Amino acid sequence: DQQVKQNSPSLSVQEGRISILNCDYTNSMFDYFLWYKKYPAEGPTFLISISSIKDKNEDGRFTVFLNKSAKHLSLHIVPSQPGDSAVYFCAASARVDNFNKFYFGSGTKLNVKP
Amino acid sequence: DADVTQTPRNRITKTGKRIMLECSQTKGHDRMYWYRQDPGLGLRLIYYSFDVKDINKGEISDGYSVSRQAQAKFSLSLESAIPNQTALYFCATGVGHEDTQYFGPGTRLTVL
């Protein structure tokens, strides 16, 4: 049973507009959340993270929002650029025995149209 | 040069064959991981290692084994490959409390 779900396999937006990628989780013990970006033939690369003590974290064009009561995470990209076209994975972790065990969603493929 | 490298990048093999996937890192991280990715599923953890003497099973370790030959090297073996092990395999490294992970480019394995 997947503890982290990305229910939209794909998303298409126009260049300059906002992209909103969503992620839901089931485990209330998760206390750290990340987004990774993956281009074809490459491994995922870290994009942005948020701790459960916050509800927002911003880094340039990327903002992650956390709604703990809804167990929902979202990534906003403003403005979207064609180079943002990639697969985005969300991940959540719970600390067990000095180890942050990560659970990944299945990914959302973002296509930013010029 | 890439910080985390994986060899081979692609491999086709037959059922029952022994396969080894290799991972090397130049980041100096103690922690290393092996994940597999299947269509429609997220990355799932196979094995992880905190250092050369510390190896742990992940959520889907059956059918796999690992070897941490040095801090920089972490190999994944399939002793007798089966078709449902066809997947994209990623090695990753990490360090620190928040354990942000750095991934290799992946190995696409096909078992016929």
Side-chain angles (χ1 to χ4, degrees):
Chain A
D1 189 28
Q2 283 191 272
Q3 299 191 45
V4 178
K5 294 184 180 179
Q6 293 176 257
N7 292 317
S8 297
S10 63
L11 175 68
S12 185
V13 300
Q14 203 69 39
E15 180 179 7
R17 296 290 190 92
I18 184 172
S19 295
I20 300 176
L21 295 91
N22 294 303
C23 180
D24 297 297
Y25 61 94
T26 57
N27 189 342
S28 58
M29 297 300 292
F30 288 148
D31 60 3
Y32 187 58
F33 305 86
L34 308 90
W35 284 94
Y36 283 85
K37 178 179 181 180
K38 182 184 179 305
Y39 291 118
E42 296 182 11
T45 55
F46 170 73
L47 186 59
I48 193 169
S49 63
I50 188 167
S51 165
S52 61
I53 63 173
K54 296 184 176 180
D55 55 19
K56 177 182 174 181
N57 188 27
E58 190 172 356
D59 183 1
R61 296 186 295 114
F62 301 91
T63 303
V64 56
F65 294 92
L66 176 63
N67 182 336
K68 289 187 290 294
S69 61
K71 295 191 178 67
H72 180 79
L73 187 69
S74 63
L75 175 69
H76 292 208
I77 306 174
V78 182
S80 301
Q81 299 174 353
D84 296 329
S85 297
V87 177
Y88 290 78
F89 292 97
C90 68
S93 76
R95 195 162 183 82
V96 178
D97 295 332
N98 196 36
F99 171 53
N100 277 356
K101 185 174 181 181
F102 286 90
Y103 296 85
F104 286 81
S106 55
T108 295
K109 186 174 184 180
L110 174 65
N111 179 33
V112 180
K113 297 177 286 188
Chain B
D1 287 342
D3 295 320
V4 184
T5 57
Q6 293 183 233
T7 55
R9 295 293 311 276
N10 289 281
R11 181 72 184 268
I12 300 174
T13 191
K14 294 182 178 180
T15 297
K17 293 291 187 180
R18 184 178 188 274
I19 295 295
M20 179 180 285
L21 309 183
E22 299 188 356
C23 177
S24 296
Q25 54 115 346
T26 58
K27 299 187 75 69
H29 291 166
D30 288 330
R31 300 183 180 193
M32 297 188 75
Y33 310 84
W34 276 104
Y35 289 90
R36 67 176 276 177
Q37 183 191 359
D38 298 277
L41 297 176
L43 283 76
R44 292 181 293 165
L45 184 63
I46 305 172
Y47 270 95
Y48 61 100
S49 170
F50 285 174
D51 62 40
V52 174
K53 297 179 181 179
D54 185 1
I55 293 178
N56 305 277
K57 293 183 177 181
E59 57 185 308
I60 53 164
S61 59
D62 287 348
Y64 301 95
S65 62
V66 291
S67 173
R68 185 83 184 264
Q69 301 94 322
Q71 185 202 38
K73 296 184 181 296
F74 193 35
S75 301
L76 176 72
S77 294
L78 288 68
E79 297 300 325
S80 179
I82 56 176
N84 77 1
Q85 291 178 313
T86 293
L88 188 55
Y89 289 84
F90 289 103
C91 173
T93 71
V95 67
H97 169 77
E98 292 175 332
D99 226 5
T100 300
Q101 295 178 10
Y102 301 86
F103 286 84
T107 294
R108 185 168 294 281
L109 177 66
T110 302
V111 183
L112 301 176

